[in-house]
Structures are given as structure tokens and as C-alpha cells.
Amino acid sequence: MTDTRRANPAFYALLVALIVMSLGPILLMLATSFKMNVDVYDSGVSAFFFTPTIANYEEVLCDVLWYEPASVDYCDPTFGRALGNSLIIALISTALTLTIGCMAAYALVRFRFMGRGVVSTTTLLMRMVPPAVLLVPIFGIWTFQFGLDRTFSGIILVYTAMNLPFVIWILQSFIVQVPVQLEEAARMDGANPFQTFFLVVLPLIKPGLAAAAIFTFRIAWNEFLLANALLGRNTRTVPVTIVNSITEYDINWGVIMATGMLLAIPPILFTLVASKQIITGMTAGAVKG
Amino acid sequence: MGTANRLTPWLFLAPAVVVLGIALLYPIGYMIYASFLSWSPSERIGDAEWIGWRNYTNLWTDEAFRESFLVTLKFAAAVVTIEMVLGVGLALLLDRKLRGMTVLRTIFILPMMIAPIVVGLMWRYMYHPTVGVFNRTLKSLGFDGAPWLSDGTWAFWSVVIADVWQWTPFIFILALAAMQSLPRSALEAAEIDGATEWQKIWYIKIPLMMPVLIVTLLLRLIDAFKVLEVILVLTNGGPGLSTEIVALRIFRTAQEFQELGEAAAMSNVLLLMLMALTILMVGYNWLQERRAMRLRVVAETGK
């Protein structure tokens, strides 16, 4: 593209401003997580230049550390446990959603059958159901009918269902691009439809699977509302413990920022490692929409 | 081809159909039923009293719900307008071959990958009346601090700003992707004819991007109606009801007031609104696809 404005310094100033605005709040949270609470409340201490401490992280993680941190006099195991719960719930529901979702997407793309239109439209419409709408019925059904409240399997089932419509949608646009000839060749060689799918198609849509996995994990990892309604004291996830620890006054900002940072780290890592897949997933969702 | 059984697609679909049926369709049906009950979380749904349309008529006269409905509309309109203008504007400005573009886009995606709860935390810290960066900066410059979250109007716009921070990149990335897949020939033709940069934007780029922009707008609009956690952490709907969106109202009606039937009726209203938006989006897409197909047929037969 011809570009006459390349040397324009205003352009670079804009870029820098955007980067600062985007990263600023995150960096501020990172910095505060290493700050002592007295320094947070001392207006003489700068936001980014101060004596760092890992005491906040020690307090949050005291239960899972291999040593007993000297800075912590009473160890509250809530957060360490919540971190483990969050990991289990997010990982299992991601694996389930992907397995079930890719099979469904394949059926919708490659087969013409009675009821295909209905399934496809229903899936599409269910994409927009917000967690707030599911709050009352899921609470009622899971508590009184299924007896799945306070359990991992209960919340995993919810997250799987919540993410399926999106995963099916995204994966459809990747499966369409797989050349049908490959599948026909596999069939000629005597593969049944399941072998064709798992051995020929799946390896070819890895980028799509990666994108779908990141989106699913992110939602299950970050979700608060339904986890708050369904999970009990021992099965709580990190977002629930964070909201519970916010009080009106006297927030211990250092500790809560350390907690927030720990919750933010996995999504940040995914973004740094797989930003290309994320962008592909996002654009596939809208442009194919 | 002969081995493909008529049951095969259903074998592939069965797990998804079962899960979606149990954990999405059934709950939605259950919610519609619950919206006609006077029901508190301590009793089984079977013991709840059937009160007909009363939950809905109560909503109609409930000042607080009407207020939250208005706040939701205002919030959605504000964030979607600001984010579309900023996002598309930035995409137009940054649409060029830039060496660091991948890094830049990675940085821009970060805000939307982070948990809404954490986004709420970060902004609550920054808006804090005494320790927050905004008021610290204002005070060090000799101004009074602003009531970021403690005054109704300020709180509304503070919440909007947090959402704009998190979601403008979404619009930016989709708009940029759409822009970079525009046919080069149209732009080159315009350049040969001596079109200015502005003319190229107004008469070529924007019209050609319109289909993607409209879908992006609708996607974002649907999401704006779902926002909850950021506001919950930032203001919990306050001060007063100035930032209490419908999703938050549902949460509080169920959690604090223990009125599950009423919360279900509210959920239904929200669901209907989102359903209408989704149908609009799907319908628009379908029309676009049909138009594209017709154009293709014309092009092929014209050859």
C-alpha cells in the first residue's frame, strides 16, 4: 500500500498512547500486587516506584506454598483451594465442550439429514443466552431436582452447555474448509465415519480447536455468577472468593490485586502464546456470523 | 458413500443435543414456568404458589425495574456507540503494513481476555477516592478529586469507560480484519482516479465494510446487555440505582430479595430482547448471503 504518512510522528505518538492506555491498568494492578498496604495508602509513595514485597502473594498462596511465609501469622486456605477448584472445573469443562462440540459441528457441516435446520438454528439462538438468565432455573433445577449443587460435575455441566453453541459455531467454519476429497479417500480405504473424523478431519482443524479451547477455558475460568449460585464453601472458584473478599471499606488492595493477578495470569499467558488463534477465532465468529 | 448410515449424523450430534437439552433448553422452559410463581429459594418449586401474570404486571409498575431497564438501554447505547466510533476510527488510522502489528494486536486483546471481575477490581482501584490514580493525579495538579463512583452521573460514565477500555479492541480487530480483506482493485482504481484519503474512506472502505460492521455492532450490542460482573464489582448498581442494569437487578432480586419468580420474569424480558437482536443479526446475515449468491450467479451467467 502506498503510504505517505509513514514518517508522521503523530502516528507513532498515537500508537504509544494506545499501548499505554491498554496496558496501563494491567501494569498498575501488577505493581500494586507487590506493594505493601501502608504504601498503597501513603500518597507520598509513587504508583510504580516503591520497595516491592512478595508478602501479598505469600498471604494469598500460604496454603499451597512449600514453606511457611514469615509475613503471614494466620493462614487462610480459601484461596489456595479455590485456585485448585478453578483449574479442575475449567480444564474438564473445556475438554468436554471441545469433544462434544467438534463432533456436533462435523455432523452439521458434512451431513444432510432431517432436523439439521432445527438443530443448527437452535444452537445459533442459544449463543445469546446470558448467564444471568440461567441463574434462577439452574439454581432451582440443580438444587432441588438433580442434587448437583455444590458439586464439580454440576458446574461443569453448566459451563459445557453454555460454551457449546459458540464452539459448534466456530468449528463449523473450520471444518467447511477441509477438502471433502480427503474424507472420501479415507472412506475408500475402509474407514468408518468416526475414524474419518477423528483421524483425518480433527488433525486438520487444530488451529480452530486451539481458538475454541482458549475461548471456552477463558469463560469457565472467569465466570462468577453461576459459580456463586451453585458452589459451596469447599468447591468455590477464584472469582467467587474475590467478590466475597471485597468489602465496602478498608480493602487490602495489595492482597486483592495479587489475587486478581493470579486469576489474570492464565488468560494473559494464552494471549501471549496464541494471539493469532484468538484473532482467527474472533474474526471467524463475526465475519462468518 | 454407501456406508453413511442415516443414523450417523445423530450419533455425532447426540452428546451435544443431550447436554444442550438438559442444561440450556430445559432450564429456559423451567424459567418460563417459574416466572408465573411466587417462589423463594427455601421451598421446592412444587410448593410455590401459582400467581399467573402478576410477576409481569408487577414489573410493569415497578419503578426500580423500569429504571434498571432504562439504565441498561442507556449503557448499551453509550458503550456500543463509543466503541464503534473509536474501534473503527483506530482501524482506519492503523490500516497499514506495520512491522509491530502482531505485537500491537496482542497487547490490544489482553483487556478482553482478563476476567470481568478483575477488570472491575482494577478500575475500582483506579477510581478510588483517595488511593486511586485519577484522584491522586488530580490532587497533585491542585484540583479537587472527582466523585468517580459516588455520584450517579459520574458513576454511570465511569462504568462506561471501563467497558470501553475492555471492548474497543474487539471492534478494532474485527474492523481491521474486514478492512484488510477488502478488494485491492477498488482502492487502486480510486487512487488512479485521484481520490483523496477521506474520499476513499467514505465512498469505498466504509460501504464495503458495512456488512461486517453491522454484524460486529449487533454482536457487541448483545454482549452489552449481558455485562454484569464489572458493574457488580465497581458499583454494585449504585449509587442509588444509577448503574443497576437488568442483569444485576436479576442477580439481586434472586440473591438479596429471594424473589425467584420475579427474577425469572425479569430474565424472560431480558431473554426476549436478546432473542430479537439475535434474530435481527441472523436475518441480516441471511439476506447478505443471498445477495452475494445472486451477484455470483449474475457474474457467472454474464461471462
Side-chain angles (χ1 to χ4, degrees):
Chain A
M1 210 179 155
T2 55
D3 223 321
T4 45
R5 293 173 307 175
R6 175 156 292 170
N8 193 342
F11 177 72
Y12 288 98
L14 173 75
L15 275 186
V16 172
L18 285 176
I19 292 171
V20 169
M21 271 195 270
S22 229
L23 285 183
I26 303 174
L27 291 178
L28 187 66
M29 169 168 75
L30 181 67
T32 311
S33 71
F34 289 107
K35 210 170 183 179
M36 273 177 295
N37 210 33
V38 277
D39 285 347
V40 171
Y41 282 94
D42 183 351
S43 64
V45 178
S46 132
F48 287 101
F49 301 100
F50 52 85
T51 329
T53 168
I54 57 163
N56 296 323
Y57 286 96
E58 285 181 329
E59 185 169 340
V60 171
L61 294 171
C62 61
D63 197 40
V64 285
L65 284 179
W66 58 95
Y67 62 92
E68 275 194 31
S71 60
V72 182
D73 11 298
Y74 165 69
C75 178
D76 182 1
T78 317
F79 186 79
R81 194 167 50 206
L83 202 60
N85 293 343
S86 274
L87 265 179
I88 294 172
I89 291 170
L91 286 176
I92 297 182
S93 61
T94 305
L96 262 179
T97 316
L98 282 193
T99 317
I100 297 175
C102 67
M103 286 167 57
Y106 182 67
L108 289 175
V109 172
R110 281 293 189 254
F111 294 93
R112 297 283 167 272
F113 57 93
M114 276 270 287
R116 178 176 170 274
V118 178
V119 176
S120 163
T121 320
T122 319
T123 319
L124 199 65
L125 285 180
M126 282 196 282
R127 242 188 87 178
M128 53 74 196
V129 176
V133 164
L134 292 173
L135 178 64
V136 173
I138 295 266
F139 169 80
I141 299 170
W142 265 235
T143 311
F144 296 119
Q145 295 186 347
F146 296 170
L148 283 176
D149 55 318
R150 291 154 209 270
T151 63
F152 284 153
S153 34
I155 197 81
I156 288 170
L157 178 61
V158 177
Y159 288 165
T160 307
M162 247 173 54
N163 283 315
L164 261 179
F166 178 74
V167 166
I168 293 176
W169 169 299
I170 283 281
L171 289 182
Q172 275 181 306
S173 63
F174 283 90
I175 293 174
V176 169
Q177 292 166 9
V178 175
V180 191
Q181 291 85 336
L182 284 178
E183 288 165 59
E184 274 160 8
R187 222 168 293 146
M188 300 277 218
D189 291 343
N192 68 36
F194 284 91
Q195 288 169 324
T196 312
F197 175 62
F198 283 105
L199 301 176
V200 178
V201 179
L202 266 198
L204 289 173
I205 57 164
K206 270 188 203 143
L209 289 173
I214 291 172
F215 281 101
T216 316
F217 180 89
R218 170 182 148 255
I219 291 184
W221 177 257
N222 291 347
E223 207 276 337
F224 159 76
L225 193 65
L226 296 167
N228 180 55
L230 282 183
L231 295 173
R233 183 173 253 291
N234 292 318
T235 43
R236 251 174 224 152
T237 54
V238 181
V240 182
T241 59
I242 290 184
V243 173
N244 285 346
S245 65
I246 302 175
T247 45
E248 276 303 313
Y249 309 99
D250 269 345
I251 293 181
N252 190 337
W253 285 108
V255 172
I256 211 158
M257 287 307 187
T259 323
M261 216 40 231
L262 288 169
L263 186 66
I265 284 172
I268 291 180
L269 283 183
F270 280 136
T271 314
L272 296 184
V273 175
S275 64
K276 223 181 109 200
Q277 275 80 5
I278 296 173
I279 290 169
T280 319
M282 263 171 31
T283 37
V287 181
K288 250 249 50 169
Chain B
M1 291 303 272
T3 50
N5 193 300
R6 280 179 63 195
L7 270 178
T8 315
W10 288 104
L11 287 178
F12 277 100
L13 271 178
V17 170
V18 169
V19 170
L20 289 176
I22 292 178
L24 269 183
L25 279 184
Y26 174 49
I28 290 173
Y30 190 94
M31 177 190 69
I32 295 171
Y33 173 64
S35 70
F36 295 105
L37 303 173
S38 168
W39 178 33
S40 78
S42 54
E43 59 185 347
R44 298 180 146 270
I45 192 166
D47 304 331
E49 188 197 349
W50 178 272
I51 55 167
W53 291 94
R54 218 187 311 150
N55 282 325
Y56 291 94
T57 49
N58 283 350
L59 284 191
W60 187 249
T61 51
D62 182 5
E63 287 289 325
F65 180 73
R66 259 202 261 177
E67 183 63 32
S68 74
F69 198 81
L70 281 179
V71 171
T72 311
L73 293 182
K74 253 171 57 188
F75 175 78
V79 297
V80 171
T81 312
I82 299 176
E83 286 162 15
M84 285 301 288
V85 170
L86 283 180
V88 176
L90 286 176
L92 287 167
L93 275 173
L94 300 183
D95 175 28
R96 56 185 73 191
K97 291 222 170 55
L98 206 67
R99 214 176 304 136
M101 205 53 199
T102 334
V103 181
L104 199 69
R105 281 197 298 190
T106 310
I107 290 173
F108 285 165
I109 321 175
L110 279 177
M112 53 181 143
M113 297 301 284
I114 292 176
I117 290 284
V118 176
V119 172
L121 268 185
M122 297 187 312
W123 285 88
R124 182 158 164 170
Y125 178 59
M126 292 194 287
Y127 287 138
H128 193 282
T130 51
V131 307
V133 268
F134 296 134
N135 272 2
R136 281 244 167 110
T137 314
L138 284 176
K139 278 176 188 159
S140 70
L141 295 172
F143 296 101
D144 285 340
W148 297 102
L149 297 175
S150 51
D151 169 88
T153 315
W154 280 87
F156 177 81
W157 290 104
S158 298
V159 168
V160 167
I161 290 173
D163 193 85
V164 167
W165 175 78
Q166 197 182 10
W167 289 106
T168 302
F170 176 75
I171 314 272
F172 166 74
I173 282 171
L174 292 189
L176 193 65
M179 216 174 287
Q180 292 181 337
S181 62
L182 290 183
R184 285 273 154 253
S185 53
L187 289 170
E188 276 158 17
E191 254 160 54
I192 292 169
D193 289 345
T196 65
E197 201 63 34
W198 273 113
Q199 285 171 326
K200 275 198 290 185
I201 289 173
W202 271 119
Y203 296 110
I204 298 174
K205 287 187 184 177
I206 299 259
L208 283 177
M209 282 163 59
M210 227 20 165
V212 178
L213 289 186
I214 288 178
V215 173
T216 310
L217 183 138
L218 287 169
L219 273 179
R220 194 55 213 121
L221 197 60
I222 291 171
D223 279 344
F225 283 104
K226 296 187 189 174
V227 172
L228 179 119
E229 283 106 329
V230 175
I231 302 186
L232 176 79
V233 173
L234 268 178
T235 63
N236 197 15
L241 297 175
S242 53
T243 55
E244 189 165 281
I245 48 158
V246 171
L248 193 56
R249 182 90 201 149
I250 295 173
F251 172 65
R252 294 185 59 194
T253 310
Q255 192 100 352
E256 284 173 35
F257 315 140
Q258 311 260 300
E259 293 279 358
L260 294 186
E262 211 180 304
M266 290 177 189
S267 307
N268 250 331
V269 174
L270 182 62
L271 193 64
L272 279 178
M273 265 166 47
L274 289 172
M275 190 87 87
L277 280 174
T278 311
I279 289 172
L280 202 67
M281 183 176 84
V282 174
Y284 178 80
N285 254 321
W286 182 76
L287 280 180
Q288 284 298 327
E289 257 164 47
R290 271 192 32 165
R291 230 188 81 196
M293 216 142 73
R294 259 209 317 273
L295 285 178
R296 224 173 294 141
V297 171
V298 170
E300 270 162 26
T301 47
K303 229 181 264 174

